[in-house]
Amino acid sequence: MTQGILELVEHYEEKTRELRRYFHQHPELSSKEIQTGTFIKEKCHALGLTVEEVPADQRSKGTGFIATLDTGRPGKIIALRTDIDALPVQENAYNLAQKRTVISQTDGVMHACGHDGHMAILLTTMQILHDLKDQLSGKIIFIFEEAEETANSIHAMVDFLQGRGIDAIYGNHLAAFLDTGLIACDPGQIMTGIDMINFDVVGQGGHGSRPDLARNPIYAGVDILNSISVVWNNQIDIEKTVTLGITQFNAGSQDNVFPDRAHIAGTLRFFDEAEGRRAYDLLMDTARRVAPVHGCRIEEGEVAGFDTLPVVNDEGLALKVQSQAEELFPGHLVHDLKWYASETFAHYSLVAPSVFSFVGIRNKEFGSGAEHHNEYFDLDEAALKYAVALMTSFAYHELTSDD
């Protein structure tokens, strides 16, 4: 069936590109994916799929949904996932080499992480599997996840999927750090989990002429950051990598006034969940011990602490995907690749065995390869066919085999 899948992928390749360009032109921010959702639901209804909306909760706005293709025959239930949100990034009219093929029509909003491609991949896969429906048994649930970038809806989606008897969940990410068409799907840990650092150092403001009458949170903040670096060198397990990224240190607005507060924020990234949580506790304990030395205290922000699990591929599923990748595209599979970014896809492992693959989009001549979340980010549309073929092959084999 490999050749048949490749022929269908080629048949729909231009349509896949058109879909990607539509989504790229009409990006919507996390939890505001109204037009995006309407467009996708129309595609689902046109194929006769059942659409169910995920209820809103304290964090999500209810813009996520699922669509189900039922073959009418008993068999496995698998799920295929895409994210649907864009980022608050002002897009540059050029990529790394030339003027863009297509550009966002919404000022200050951009698909700067490949989610436009992910949606196009899933919709094309949905069409192909619908074409092959008579050869399949079981059900396919297509997941359209709200707000992946802010991780606001993953818990609602996971709760919504529980109890549906799902046997496996597949997802993919277009990767700017891999050349176009290269594929990676290693078993085990492949992406980091994340802890959000977000706290205020609270002191006492005052006039710049009398530092003795104030409690300067700036000095306390600097001391905290210096102390954290020592903790990292001396107390984090060197065999369990945890990266520390302090991205904000904001305090004061006038030359002659000591501020009341200094704000510190950033992230911790980790492959080992226990070590990641321990690292966060060490960081906050350090902050709370250092601040009183300066007459200050710590106030933790609302968005702080554990946020996303590490992505860990099920070994059996990953080996299947590797085998299918070699069959579809001999010589395109690469190994031993980890990405220090984080992904809400990790949480689908709480529902069923899950597997996540990377498909390269870097093409120096075309101008793609800029880091994700970057104004120059672009994707080589020639990569889309690799991702469509791999996702389709995974679903086809799962719904035509007994293992």
Side-chain angles (χ1 to χ4, degrees):
M1 188 56 196
T2 299
Q3 188 57 39
I5 289 174
L6 290 172
E7 288 173 0
L8 284 167
V9 171
E10 182 179 359
H11 174 74
Y12 287 110
E13 184 174 8
E14 188 56 37
K15 184 62 177 177
T16 309
R17 295 182 183 223
E18 290 175 6
L19 286 168
R20 181 263 161 174
R21 293 178 186 185
Y22 170 82
F23 289 127
H24 193 85
Q25 288 177 310
H26 303 92
E28 293 178 298
L29 293 174
S30 301
S31 296
K32 297 181 179 180
E33 311 96 329
I34 306 302
Q35 181 178 338
T36 301
T38 299
F39 178 89
I40 295 172
K41 289 172 190 176
E42 289 175 355
K43 298 294 183 184
C44 295
H45 288 309
L47 295 178
L49 276 60
T50 301
V51 174
E52 300 174 71
E53 297 183 358
V54 180
D57 63 9
Q58 290 182 338
R59 293 186 64 182
S60 70
K61 300 299 182 182
T63 56
F65 58 97
I66 66 172
T68 303
L69 171 61
D70 189 345
T71 68
R73 289 172 289 278
K76 292 181 181 179
I77 301 174
I78 67 164
L80 308 176
R81 174 264 197 174
T82 183
D83 30 28
I84 63 176
D85 55 334
L87 287 157
V89 174
Q90 183 64 50
E91 186 169 22
N92 196 296
Y94 289 80
N95 61 25
L96 294 178
Q98 61 184 331
K99 194 169 184 178
R100 292 181 178 275
T101 304
V102 62
I103 193 166
S104 169
Q105 295 180 3
T106 304
D107 189 54
V109 183
M110 174 190 175
H111 274 296
C113 198
H115 297 189
D116 50 344
H118 299 168
M119 288 184 280
I121 291 161
L122 186 58
L123 286 181
T124 303
T125 299
M126 186 173 74
Q127 177 67 62
I128 294 174
L129 293 173
H130 182 270
D131 292 350
L132 298 173
K133 179 179 177 181
D134 291 343
Q135 300 179 34
L136 307 175
S137 298
K139 297 179 182 179
I140 309 167
I141 297 174
F142 300 95
I143 300 170
F144 300 93
E145 183 188 328
E146 168 197 349
E148 187 279 329
E149 295 293 358
T150 57
N152 277 352
S153 77
I154 185 58
H155 303 296
M157 179 64 79
V158 165
D159 289 344
F160 194 64
L161 294 173
Q162 296 286 5
R164 294 175 181 265
I166 299 174
D167 294 291
I169 302 178
Y170 176 94
N172 59 218
H173 207 301
L174 298 173
F177 50 85
L178 283 176
D179 289 340
T180 295
L182 292 183
I183 296 166
C185 191
D186 291 318
Q189 300 167 338
I190 62 164
M191 294 184 72
T192 62
I194 181 172
D195 283 323
M196 303 301 296
I197 302 166
N198 190 306
F199 63 88
D200 282 356
V201 184
V202 183
Q204 179 179 315
H207 194 281
S209 65
R210 290 298 302 269
D212 57 311
L213 299 179
R215 297 293 179 264
N216 191 345
I218 295 176
Y219 284 136
V222 170
D223 201 0
I224 288 169
L225 294 182
N226 286 334
S227 298
I228 289 171
S229 66
V230 175
V231 168
W232 236 246
N233 287 334
N234 293 336
Q235 298 188 51
I236 300 299
D237 189 334
I238 61 172
E239 295 184 355
K240 297 178 181 178
T241 301
V242 181
T243 65
L244 170 64
I246 298 297
T247 56
Q248 295 183 49
F249 186 177
N250 304 315
S253 60
Q254 299 184 47
D255 293 343
N256 65 341
V257 176
F258 293 113
D260 290 314
R261 294 172 176 262
H263 180 67
I264 295 176
T267 63
L268 302 178
R269 310 287 177 135
F270 51 89
F271 290 107
D272 183 282
E273 182 182 351
E275 189 67 9
R277 292 182 184 243
R278 191 177 79 86
Y280 182 80
D281 290 342
L282 282 171
L283 184 149
M284 293 308 301
D285 184 61
T286 300
R288 293 189 181 101
R289 288 174 180 272
V290 172
V293 174
H294 298 268
C296 298
R297 58 186 173 85
I298 299 298
E299 283 188 4
E300 200 167 2
E302 289 185 11
V303 182
F306 175 74
D307 192 63
T308 302
L309 291 165
V311 178
V312 182
N313 275 343
D314 177 83
E315 182 175 7
L317 293 179
L319 293 177
K320 285 182 181 181
V321 173
Q322 288 185 354
S323 176
Q324 292 163 22
E326 283 288 14
E327 188 173 344
L328 288 163
F329 307 109
H332 284 248
L333 186 66
V334 297
H335 297 280
D336 300 323
L337 189 147
K338 291 186 177 183
W339 190 11
Y340 279 77
S342 303
E343 241 282 358
T344 59
F345 185 83
H347 292 258
Y348 290 106
S349 64
L350 302 175
V351 177
S354 61
V355 64
F356 201 57
S357 63
F358 301 136
V359 178
I361 57 171
R362 182 175 61 197
N363 181 333
K364 184 177 180 180
E365 183 177 349
F366 170 74
S368 56
E371 286 284 347
H372 296 257
H373 296 209
N374 185 291
E375 65 176 307
Y376 293 100
F377 177 87
D378 201 358
L379 62 89
D380 180 5
E381 292 178 341
L384 297 175
K385 65 181 181 183
Y386 297 96
V388 173
L390 196 59
M391 181 179 280
T392 302
S393 178
F394 176 83
Y396 184 88
H397 282 87
E398 288 299 301
L399 298 186
T400 56
S401 64
D402 297 324
D403 61 343

